[in-house]
Amino acid sequence: MKTVLTGSNKKRRWRDALYPVATVVAVVAVWELIVRAADVPAYLVPAPSAIALAFVSDFGLIASHARATMFEAAVGLSLSVAIAFGVAMLMDNFPAVRKALYPLLIMSQTAPVIAVAPILIIWFGFGALPKVVIVVLMCFFPICVSLTDGFAETDKDFLDYFHLIKATRLQVYRHLKIPHALPYFFAGLKIAVTYTVMAAVIAEWLGGNEGIGVYMLRAKQSFALDRMFAAIALVVAVSLILIALVDLAARRVVYWKAGAGEGGVGE
Amino acid sequence: MTCFDGAASVGGGREGCQIVPARESKNAAKAAFIEARSVRKSFDGVPVLDGVSMRVSGSETVSILGPSGCGKSTLMNIITGLIPADGGDICFAGRIGYMQQKDMLLPWKTIMANVTLPRIIGGADRREAEAEASPYFEMFGIEGYENKYPRELSGGMRRRASFLSAFLISGDVMLLDEPFGALDSITRGRMQRWLIDVKRKVGVAIMLITHDVEEAILLSDRVYLMSDKPSRVRDEIEVDFFADEKSRRLLSPEFMEYKKRILDSL
Ligand SMILES: Nc1ncnc2c1ncn2[C@@H]1O[C@H](COP(=O)(O)OP(=O)(O)O)[C@@H](O)[C@H]1O
Ligand SMILES: [Mg+2]
């Protein structure tokens, strides 16, 4: 069974998407006009058309750097999800682990990752590993916390029911806790993917020889602001695509939550 | 202390209702019973059950009628083993199917997946469990809803599905905790007639918990009247008119007599 999106619902979502798109188009147009009219030099503020041109003419190089970044982001995000599931299940099963870890998890989030990154580079070198670690440090937390909350908020009556029908711990997870925690998981994942690519780029910035971050650093050093902006636009676009994918996956997987307001049938 | 009777409960204990193949348990129905003897229970020093005794067996319908908060659900939870009693005995033979006040239907599973869940948890093959459950969908008036999700069903239909789920756990003895309490009065009336009808088809013993005097008279062969907490059984009333045609009870003069007698006693 799939999500039932009624026609008007779908139309409304498209219409809602028009507002930010129109805003962006307007801002870009004004930007272009001002840069042209005032003759702003390209090493200060490049025109949107110049940025687009830079993106096209430098596409081969950008794409090869982007591949490295996407690799780090993908591995980092996958690891984040895996570790978050593991830690959340540990905390859910053992109250002592929960009490010990939960405050530490929150504390760890207040440590400035940017300051930690150079240390990681000292430890792990200039390859992909320190970047993956930084992505995990940033993305693991929202996923883990939302999963933990999802497990903890499982309905007590349902837990009693599962006890009554003699379900094993694993069965409780499989049939009750994990499905119940999925909407929470996707909410956390959505937050995580908004910083996944950014985290990888920042990590590359601090040391390395490939990736969008490295490309940006080099563009900056040669005052090629048009290429710099092209790289930023790419990071934003990829992040937005990731968010959209998570939304899509959430709607498919959490089909049973959709369609609020649909009345019952029969009786 | 707890006593068990008959092979059926061995291994099941009071940890909860035991899952057995529905076909087996339905044949063993007649020997099944539940008996509570002087069951006592306090919460935080406040006595709730103060020596409650009752029995249901064969294929009778017995109601436990009492005001809200008198400890009816607590008694249920003690019988199913969810919480321990402070004193007294629970004896039972056969498996107990238990239908809670609230629908225990997982929103992410279809009705078929929900009603077969106890069997699946017990290790049964999914296709076998579904084949077993299938014929009852028509008998219980929910055919066509097998592949729907709980949110697509009305309150009354969800109750039927919950009843089927409890029935598939055990066709011997069923505990129903205010099964229709959350429904509007029109649907409730319809569901009461439905229960009379289904009960006649499947011949299971039913222990029905309710705070509704008319529901108790309409559906029961016997009614236990509970006092306010700390509660005991204040009275036991045999309801023996139109025993084979309970749906005709509502409009008969005896109905009013029973109602008066119970209200006087409460
Ligand atoms: N787990 C519990 N802890 C403390 N008090 C409880 C608990 N369960 C029930 N009670 C109390 O016991 C009384 C009986 O509750 P319950 O059995 O749910 O009543 P009923 O089902 O008859 O409405 C109520 O006063 C309730 O507050
Ligand atoms: Mg109750």
Side-chain angles (χ1 to χ4, degrees):
Chain A
M1 153 119 190
K2 287 188 197 121
T3 313
V4 195
L5 262 186
T6 57
S8 69
N9 212 335
K10 210 169 195 166
K11 222 182 270 168
R12 189 172 338 126
R13 289 221 338 254
W14 278 111
R15 218 171 32 221
D16 284 349
L18 274 180
Y19 287 85
V21 168
T23 310
V24 169
V25 169
V27 168
V28 166
V30 171
W31 176 356
E32 180 85 32
L33 279 175
I34 292 177
V35 170
R36 277 170 192 251
D39 223 0
V40 183
Y43 59 84
L44 280 182
V45 182
S49 57
I51 295 170
L53 211 63
F55 186 81
V56 173
S57 64
D58 221 11
F59 185 76
L61 191 59
I62 291 180
S64 81
H65 280 295
R67 222 179 31 227
T69 306
M70 292 315 295
F71 173 77
E72 296 152 9
V75 174
L77 190 63
S78 312
L79 277 178
S80 300
V81 170
I83 298 172
F85 260 96
V87 173
M89 276 170 83
L90 269 179
M91 293 205 292
D92 184 54
N93 264 300
F94 305 103
V97 175
R98 187 195 169 96
K99 278 184 210 152
L101 275 191
Y102 204 89
L104 293 187
L105 272 180
I106 292 181
M107 251 158 70
S108 76
Q109 285 308 290
T110 62
V113 174
I114 300 225
V116 176
I119 306 173
L120 293 175
I121 286 165
I122 293 173
W123 290 345
F124 301 124
F126 287 92
L129 183 58
K131 283 91 174 175
V132 169
V133 173
I134 287 168
V135 171
V136 172
L137 284 180
M138 301 268 291
C139 297
F140 154 80
F141 180 76
I143 305 175
C144 184
V145 167
S146 47
L147 261 180
T148 307
D149 290 347
F151 288 151
E153 280 164 33
T154 308
D155 193 325
K156 164 109 180 22
D157 294 331
F158 274 118
L159 286 172
D160 283 347
Y161 173 61
F162 271 71
H163 175 74
L164 218 59
I165 61 177
K166 293 186 168 22
T168 62
R169 265 182 198 211
L170 221 61
Q171 287 173 324
V172 172
Y173 274 105
R174 175 155 175 242
H175 295 283
L176 178 62
K177 284 190 170 179
I178 290 180
H180 175 263
L182 275 180
Y184 298 77
F185 165 74
F186 279 109
L189 186 64
K190 193 168 167 179
I191 295 172
V193 298
T194 57
Y195 5 103
T196 302
V197 183
M198 191 178 70
V201 168
I202 290 174
E204 289 160 356
W205 215 323
L206 296 167
N209 30 37
E210 57 175 349
I212 288 291
V214 172
Y215 174 86
M216 282 169 90
L217 214 57
R218 290 179 187 161
K220 195 195 85 177
Q221 273 152 7
S222 54
F223 293 97
L225 253 62
D226 51 352
R227 286 196 260 152
M228 179 106 183
F229 273 103
I232 292 174
L234 181 68
V235 171
V236 171
V238 171
S239 298
L240 287 179
I241 290 171
L242 282 179
I243 294 171
L245 285 178
V246 171
D247 268 342
L248 193 73
R251 274 205 302 280
R252 298 219 138 212
V253 176
V254 194
Y255 52 82
W256 45 269
K257 260 225 153 159
E262 267 179 64
V265 287
E267 271 290 314
Chain B
M1 215 219 80
T2 307
C3 65
F4 297 110
D5 191 336
S9 63
V10 171
R14 281 186 46 231
E15 284 305 303
C17 34
Q18 200 181 6
I19 318 306
V20 290
R23 265 175 271 119
E24 258 178 56
S25 67
K26 250 135 251 161
N27 296 335
K30 294 310 157 224
F33 73 91
I34 307 173
E35 185 167 356
R37 293 185 201 140
S38 320
V39 171
R40 279 179 293 108
K41 179 75 187 173
S42 308
F43 286 112
D44 312 316
V46 181
V48 173
L49 298 177
D50 185 29
V52 173
S53 304
M54 56 190 49
R55 183 186 165 89
V56 54
S57 61
S59 63
E60 61 180 345
T61 303
V62 173
S63 286
I64 297 170
L65 177 63
S68 287
C70 75
K72 303 185 295 296
S73 296
T74 303
L75 180 64
M76 279 264 166
N77 290 335
I78 290 172
I79 292 173
T80 56
L82 208 55
I83 57 174
D86 296 343
D89 299 331
I90 301 291
C91 302
F92 63 85
R95 277 68 160 180
I96 302 171
Y98 179 27
M99 176 170 163
Q100 264 119 324
Q101 262 173 291
K102 180 176 144 183
D103 292 312
M104 285 295 119
L105 299 171
L106 298 167
W108 46 84
K109 286 187 185 287
T110 60
I111 298 302
M112 178 57 98
N114 266 295
V115 301
T116 53
L117 181 69
R119 296 275 287 124
I120 305 279
I121 293 284
D125 174 64
R126 189 172 60 86
R127 213 158 318 134
E128 240 169 67
E130 288 183 0
E132 220 167 65
S134 243
Y136 293 107
F137 275 81
E138 200 195 333
M139 192 185 286
F140 290 8
I142 44 176
E143 72 274 24
Y145 292 93
E146 288 87 342
N147 297 315
K148 299 252 187 256
Y149 288 87
R151 69 177 165 85
E152 299 176 276
L153 271 62
S154 66
M157 285 304 186
R158 279 203 294 268
R159 291 276 77 188
R160 294 182 190 202
S162 299
F163 185 87
L164 173 55
S165 182
F167 177 77
L168 289 173
I169 289 174
S170 169
D172 297 343
V173 196
M174 294 179 70
L175 302 185
L176 312 182
D177 190 353
E178 298 192 16
F180 311 133
L183 301 174
D184 63 86
S185 62
I186 294 173
T187 310
R188 192 185 313 140
R190 211 175 281 167
M191 290 299 292
Q192 286 162 347
R193 268 169 278 142
W194 171 84
L195 185 64
I196 292 169
D197 190 44
V198 164
K199 167 77 167 54
R200 199 166 33 215
K201 290 182 198 158
V202 296
V204 57
I206 291 179
M207 184 183 269
L208 174 87
I209 284 188
T210 181
H211 59 233
D212 181 337
V213 177
E214 300 193 357
E215 179 168 278
I217 302 170
L218 177 64
L219 299 176
S220 316
D221 300 306
R222 216 139 41 79
V223 179
Y224 290 103
L225 292 181
M226 304 264 283
S227 62
D228 262 319
K229 74 174 175 177
S231 54
R232 320 165 137 264
V233 173
R234 171 178 286 172
D235 202 356
E236 186 185 335
I237 296 171
E238 297 273 343
V239 187
D240 50 7
F241 67 105
F242 289 125
D244 300 319
E245 278 177 292
K246 286 179 177 157
S247 43
R248 289 181 58 188
R249 279 181 175 175
L250 214 46
L251 296 175
S252 71
E254 289 98 325
F255 190 85
M256 280 302 151
E257 283 165 30
Y258 275 99
K259 191 171 171 183
K260 183 170 183 313
R261 188 171 149 202
I262 289 175
L263 289 176
D264 285 345
S265 183
L266 281 174

